[in-house]
Amino acid sequence: MKVIRSLALCSLLAVAGNAFAADKVCKLEISGNDQMQFDKKELAVAADCTQVELTLKHTGKLPAQAMGHNWVLSKTPDQAGVASDGIGAGFANDHIKKGDTRVIAHTKIVGGGQTTSITFPTSALKKGESYTYICSFPGHSSLMKGAFKFG
Ligand code: ZN
C-alpha cells in the first residue's frame, strides 16, 4: 500500500503545475482557409474530458492582417455580441474585447501557414448548453462559425 501511494504521489508531482493525474485532455483540430471557411461546422467534447486542447491551423497563404483567423468560443446567445465588440477591439487584441467575460476560450489570430493551440478547462462548460465558435476577425463570423457540443 505504501509503495502504491508513493508511486501515485510521484506521478502527481511529475505533472504538477500543468494538469492533475486525473485529467483527461481531449484534442480537437480545426482549420481555416483563404476562402474564409472553417473545415468543420461542429466540434464535440465528451463529458469526461476535463481539458480541451484545441489546435487551429490556417491552411491558406494570405497574411493575418488580410485573412486572419482565430477560434473564439462563447454561449450561442453571446456570439453576436462577441463578434461585434471584437471588430472594435483591434487586430493587436486578436479582435477580442479586453476582459470580455462572454468569451470562454479563444486562440490568437493566425495567418496563412501558421498554427496555434490553446488548452482550456471544461469546468466552464455545462452539459446541454448551446455553444458556438467563430472567427472574430471583422466580417468573418457570418461564414466562419460552428456548433460546439459538450457532454
Ligand atoms: Zn477569420
Side-chain angles (χ1 to χ4, degrees):
M1 194 60 188
K2 260 189 179 167
V3 175
I4 291 167
R5 272 200 185 150
S6 58
L7 275 177
L9 187 63
C10 277
S11 59
L12 193 65
L13 288 172
V15 293
N18 197 356
F20 292 109
D23 266 0
K24 182 179 174 190
V25 181
C26 298
K27 297 184 179 186
L28 297 174
E29 277 188 22
I30 189 164
S31 63
N33 62 20
D34 283 345
Q35 283 72 49
M36 214 192 287
Q37 288 166 332
F38 281 131
D39 69 331
K40 287 172 186 156
K41 296 232 180 282
E42 187 180 312
L43 292 171
V45 169
D48 65 341
C49 301
T50 58
Q51 304 272 335
V52 177
E53 185 186 317
L54 178 122
T55 299
L56 168 67
K57 188 177 182 183
H58 192 317
T59 56
K61 290 193 165 75
L62 295 170
Q65 285 80 1
M67 183 54 72
H69 299 317
N70 63 1
W71 185 89
V72 184
L73 182 66
S74 68
K75 286 181 186 171
T76 299
D78 291 338
Q79 178 261 305
V82 168
S84 59
D85 287 347
I87 294 169
F91 184 83
N93 294 313
D94 292 308
H95 285 293
I96 305 278
K97 187 177 99 176
K98 273 192 182 171
D100 193 337
T101 53
R102 297 166 298 185
V103 173
I104 297 165
H106 74 92
T107 70
K108 62 178 186 176
I109 291 176
V110 291
Q114 295 178 318
T115 296
T116 187
S117 56
I118 48 161
T119 301
F120 61 95
T122 58
S123 53
L125 305 172
K126 265 194 274 180
K127 265 201 232 179
E129 185 88 56
S130 174
Y131 299 99
T132 296
Y133 60 84
I134 59 165
C135 168
S136 70
F137 194 92
H140 288 201
S141 66
S142 56
L143 277 174
M144 299 188 75
K145 77 165 74 168
F148 184 92
K149 297 190 171 158
F150 176 65

